[in-house]
Structures are given as C-alpha cells and as structure tokens.
Amino acid sequence: MEFNNAESRRVQICLIGNSKLNQMVHSLIPEYRGVADITIIDSIFHDALGAARRMVESDAVDIFISAGANAHYLKDTLPKPVVVLEVRQSDMINAVLRASGISNRILLLTYKHQPTWTEFLSYFNGLEVVHKTYGTAEEARDLFLSTDLSEFGVVIGSSYVCDLAEKAGLPGTLLYSKASCRAMIEQAVDTAARNKVERERDAFIDFLLWQSTKALVVTDVMDRAVAFNERAFELMPKLKRGRGVKRFLDPRFENHTEMVAEGMVLNDRLCRVTKRLFEVDGNHVGHLFSIVASPVRREDDSDDASRSLVFQSPQMTEASHFLSIYGATPGPVLLRGETGTGKELAARQIHEVSLNSKGPFVAINCAAIPSELFEAELFGYSDGAFTHARSGGKSGLLESANNGTFFMDEINSLPLPQQAKLLRVLQEREIKPVGSRTTVALNIKFVAACNHDLYEEVQAGRFREDLYYRLNVFNVRLPALRERIEDIQPLSHHFLKKLDEQYQVDVDIEALATLLQPYFVRFNWPGNVRQLENMLERLLVSVTLYESLADFEKALPRLVPELFPEDCVEPEGVAVEGRLRQVEREEILKVLGQFGGNKTRTAEYLGISQTTLWRRLKEL
C-alpha cells in the first residue's frame, strides 16, 4: 500500500558537521534537489544537539547525517534516525596520498569506532605515520594539545581535527571524500523515504482503526499488538505495541487462528470478541481482533417529575382517570398494586394534579426505615434531643414535604407502634419534632401504596383498622402487566427509546421492539413493568454484541431464559406444527377474553382481518 505522493516522498535531511565536511556536502546539494531538502548546521557536539532538538520539535527534519564522534553522539541522543558517514579504505588511501604530498611526517587522528585500514601504510616507503584515536570531542582536543606537533608536517582526520590543526598552524587533510558523502546522502534519502512509507502505512491503518465503532487490535502471528484504536485501549488499558494480547483474552484464543467468543468481560464490560486470520500472498502474517463491547449507560438527565405512566389499555385508562380525579381532592389516596406496577409514577401523577403541585414530592419506603429511627426521620428532632443528635437539630421528612405530596410506599410493612404515630399525623395535620415543645402545622397531600390487600392485613391484626379507614378515603388499583397486555408494545417503545438515549447504541429500535413483541405477550410478567424495563435494558445492551437481529433472536433463550420456561420444551414425538397450533389457540383465546369476546378489537390487536379470525376460531 503506497500513496505515491511525490511531495510526501521528498525528505528533509539535516547535516550537522564542521567546515570542511559542510563544504563538501554543500557542493553535492544540487544533485539531490529533486528528492531532498538538505539543511546544514555548522556546529559541534553539545551545540549540535541543541540545534538538532529544535529541528525535531519543529518537525523540520526527517533524518540527520553526520560523521565521526559527532554522528555517534547524535545517534545516541536524538529521537530521529542518524546516518553515519562511513570511511572507506579508498578514502584513507587518498587522504594519505594527499598528505604525503605535503610532508612525510603524518599525524593520523581518527574516531576510535571508525575503521581505518592502517595496515596498508607499510606499503608507503619513507612515510612516518603516527595513528591516535579518540572517543569524544574533548578527547580529540586534549589529544591534539598534548601531542608535540613539531614532529609532524601534516594532520589527517575529521573536519573538526582539521580545524584544530589549522588553528595550530599545521595543514589538515580531510579524511572524507565526495564519494563517501554521496553514499551517506543516498542512504539517508532511502532510509527517510522508507520510514515515510511506513509512517504513512501506520497512519492509514490507525486512521481506519479509529473510524470503526468497534474496538480493533491488529497483531502479528504471535498475537503481539501491532496497532489498535482508542476503543480497544479503553477495554484493555495496559495494551501496548509489541505486547501480547493473550493475557487480556480467553486462553482458547491462543490455540485458534479464527474464533468468536461471547460473554467475555474486559474492563468490567461484557464483550463479543472475534479473531480473524489475515494473509499476504498466502502467508499467515497476523490477526485482527474485533471487539464489540456492551454500551455504557450515560447519566440520565431527565427529571423524575417528568416521568409519567405509559399505557393504551382500558384498564390503565380507567386507573389514570381516577388518579386525576382523586388527586385534585385534599383527601389521602391509597394505591394498590403488585410490585413493579408503577405506584410511584401514579403517586407523581396525583401530585401533579393536586393543589400542592408546586410543592415538593417526597417519597419514602416504609420497609426501609428502621423502627427506632422512624420518629426522628419523619418528625425531625431539636438540638440536644438525644445523644449524637446533630447540632441545631434536623427537619423531618414530613416537614420537608410541607405544601407538597408525601408518598409512603409499602405502608403495610409499617410496625403497629409507628402506625399509631402516623394515624395521629393524619388526624391532627401537625407534627412535634423529637425533643421539641412546639408543633409544626402540615399542609400535605398524603398518598400511600401497598402490594398486599391492606384489608386482609387489618383482618390478620397486622394493620390498624382506624389507620386503614383514614388512608382508604380514595383508592386506585393499578392492574398487573399481564392484565393489560396491549400496554406492552407502547411501554417497550417508551423504554427502548429512553434506554437508547442513555446508551447511545446503533440499533433499529422499531425492529427490535417488533422482534420481541411475540415473546413478550406470551409471558406472565411477575415483576410487571419494572421487570419489563429491566429486561429491555439487558436486551438493548446485549443486542450490540451480535452481528444481526437474526443472530440475536437465536440467543434469546440464553439472554432471557425466563421467557423460555423449561415446560415449554417439547417432549419427544410432539409435532412442531401441533405445538404452534396450541400456542396460536392460547393466544387468540387470551386476547379474545381480554376484550370481552369483542372479535373486532381482537382482530385489530392480533393484526389480522375479522374473516381470518373467524376462520382460525373455526379451525381451532
């Protein structure tokens, strides 16, 4: 994969060296004008390092070139590649020949890690060559200054050594040649261009990975990470390039070139992980791990007071009508209904239509308040009322609900002593905080709720009869979800839309609701609307882990086994057609009974014509 962009192939080269080397490279710049921009910095060592770092920070260089100790110093300290000029044997021979034309007494100073091929010097008769090496610029300067230069007529070495020689009054012969400089530049051009191609490829891979809504990890054949996107890093925060991914995943992945695993947990997220093999020219070069994580629920910014009952059934229409009528009166309202039928939402509806709608709505669960704290929590207490009492006292829940609505859920769980105290509040419409001598007048709309028949509790002696009659001025029964099946569809749409806003999933809500509807209408819903909402949240999160709705539907028995009770499994020998007939018969008769035998409404609900309904009834 190459982009073949001529401008992107052009490389930026920076030479850091001294006078003679710089002049030689400068003379070669025209040869490479079409492929490279060559910048020359005339500096040494520490100064060179500072200049080079500024070039890197400004992104003005792709690669550096240098020679001798300077090059090796830069190579060890810079984040960009450094190409070192290589001294050839021919360079050494030519330098000695040039120097011998000046004097037969030669001082040869070279960098200690640089090859010199000094064995050929024995072939030169009449030459006196002393060879010394150095490791740093400081060593080269000290070595030069400590040498008796009167014994030599010429010095051979790097550009820096030549500068030292000329300052001391000795001629200097540069060890490098145009040929070696040209080779250094060409190597730099090739290396920088190759690096650019690799960076372009890596950047393109990263670009593709980051566009994906999935977490993606590209590995080599040993399953070591080559590239990954941010979503993968979120699931595996310790993931690094070159590190294996097997420690994050199921051990089974190590033994398979291709595999799909559901239900994996990464960073506390439920995930579906797919491992795919990819090849180049028939050779196995690596794997692609694709991870679909369950969505994260965002904070719900909706105000609880804006929540309302969702329904279209006649049973709930009637209940809502009574809530509005009774809510407008000053008397208490008793709500009856199973757990999860929406009693608090019904209490909020009462609050919204009451004379106290502008005031606060305060809800308590009577089963959650310890009996020994009941009086202090509801009535409040004054300063110093009891040991560890808060300085200055504390207002009770009833006082905080003044001029508003006070909702008491699970009123049937209130112990008898507390029932007596609550009865007094309802009768007197005032409270006296614990430890206080003054009373607080109350203007409260009282709403109570129970999930049992409260009169049966009275008959069993577990609930005060006088309190029952005081609360039961107005009462509304909230039907169970199984009694109002036609509300399942609008409720499902309502919850799925709300959950989709919180989880931000890429799912067709309408298609999902349509798929689930046949399963939902056959279920008994012991947990009522709350169970429906919780189940929809589980399913909305889970559906993102499957490639299609068809795959998701196949997984429903594992995701929501409560919808598939064991007694629905067919015994051996029962025909599938017979089972489908039985289910169809049960559904038609159930809906027919729901609408009181009204065949027109039954046909509309089932989505079939009246003629089809008559024919099915006759067949069944």
Side-chain angles (χ1 to χ4, degrees), residues 400-471:
S400 67
N402 215 354
N403 299 312
T405 299
F406 190 64
F407 172 56
M408 300 168 287
D409 198 8
E410 295 191 47
I411 190 73
N412 51 288
S413 65
L414 205 59
L416 287 170
Q418 279 69 48
Q419 291 178 29
K421 295 174 183 177
L422 180 61
L423 175 63
R424 181 175 176 80
V425 172
L426 292 171
Q427 289 173 335
E428 304 298 331
R429 293 284 172 158
E430 64 180 20
I431 58 169
K432 182 184 292 186
V434 177
S436 175
R437 295 181 179 181
T438 60
T439 59
V440 178
L442 298 178
N443 171 30
I444 292 177
K445 175 71 174 180
F446 286 97
V447 182
C450 60
N451 50 22
H452 293 79
D453 187 327
L454 204 54
Y455 187 68
E456 289 183 2
E457 295 293 295
V458 171
Q459 291 179 318
R462 292 187 292 268
F463 202 84
R464 292 180 62 105
E465 187 174 12
D466 48 3
L467 179 58
Y468 169 74
Y469 288 119
R470 178 64 65 176
L471 291 172

Side-chain angles (χ1 to χ4, degrees), residues 445-513:
K445 175 71 174 180
F446 286 97
V447 182
C450 60
N451 50 22
H452 293 79
D453 187 327
L454 204 54
Y455 187 68
E456 289 183 2
E457 295 293 295
V458 171
Q459 291 179 318
R462 292 187 292 268
F463 202 84
R464 292 180 62 105
E465 187 174 12
D466 48 3
L467 179 58
Y468 169 74
Y469 288 119
R470 178 64 65 176
L471 291 172
N472 196 35
V473 177
F474 301 103
N475 71 76
V476 180
R477 179 181 176 273
L478 299 178
L481 187 56
R482 61 182 170 276
E483 300 173 33
R484 50 187 183 106
I485 298 174
E486 57 266 57
D487 286 340
I488 292 178
Q489 185 177 16
L491 282 167
S492 297
H493 280 84
H494 169 74
F495 289 135
L496 284 173
K497 182 178 179 182
K498 183 183 76 170
L499 291 166
D500 184 48
E501 291 173 355
Q502 294 172 1
Y503 282 103
Q504 297 289 301
V505 297
D506 185 18
V507 175
D508 186 340
I509 297 300
E510 292 296 325
L512 179 60

Side-chain angles (χ1 to χ4, degrees), residues 253-457:
F253 277 104
E254 191 175 0
N255 302 320
H256 294 79
T257 55
E258 296 196 340
M259 181 180 171
V260 179
E262 298 174 1
M264 290 193 61
V265 178
L266 295 175
N267 203 18
D268 297 328
R269 300 272 296 278
L270 191 66
C271 300
R272 178 176 184 268
V273 184
T274 303
K275 180 181 182 180
R276 291 283 182 263
L277 164 73
F278 66 87
E279 299 177 333
V280 175
D281 297 330
N283 296 315
H284 176 190
V285 296
H287 299 101
L288 174 65
F289 288 84
S290 173
I291 308 170
V292 179
S294 60
V296 176
R297 184 170 186 168
R298 300 185 177 187
E299 291 295 327
D300 186 3
D301 296 328
S302 61
D303 185 358
D304 284 341
S306 66
R307 298 174 63 197
S308 59
L309 295 167
V310 176
F311 57 87
Q312 68 181 23
S313 65
Q315 299 95 318
M316 277 303 296
T317 301
E318 181 182 58
S320 179
H321 178 65
F322 283 126
L323 291 173
S324 298
I325 292 176
Y326 298 157
T329 68
V333 179
L334 179 63
L335 302 175
R336 296 180 295 119
E338 297 178 7
T339 298
T341 49
K343 294 188 288 295
E344 183 170 342
L345 290 181
R348 288 186 180 277
Q349 182 172 329
I350 290 173
H351 172 65
E352 291 300 318
V353 299
S354 72
L355 297 175
N356 294 353
S357 59
K358 300 297 183 183
F361 177 89
V362 177
I364 66 166
N365 188 313
C366 295
I369 301 179
S371 57
E372 64 272 12
L373 298 179
F374 176 84
E375 194 169 356
E377 287 293 320
L378 263 65
F379 302 155
Y381 53 84
S382 62
D383 188 8
F386 50 85
T387 304
H388 304 306
R390 180 188 296 178
S391 177
K394 178 186 176 183
S395 298
L397 293 172
L398 283 166
E399 188 174 351
S400 67
N402 215 354
N403 299 312
T405 299
F406 190 64
F407 172 56
M408 300 168 287
D409 198 8
E410 295 191 47
I411 190 73
N412 51 288
S413 65
L414 205 59
L416 287 170
Q418 279 69 48
Q419 291 178 29
K421 295 174 183 177
L422 180 61
L423 175 63
R424 181 175 176 80
V425 172
L426 292 171
Q427 289 173 335
E428 304 298 331
R429 293 284 172 158
E430 64 180 20
I431 58 169
K432 182 184 292 186
V434 177
S436 175
R437 295 181 179 181
T438 60
T439 59
V440 178
L442 298 178
N443 171 30
I444 292 177
K445 175 71 174 180
F446 286 97
V447 182
C450 60
N451 50 22
H452 293 79
D453 187 327
L454 204 54
Y455 187 68
E456 289 183 2
E457 295 293 295

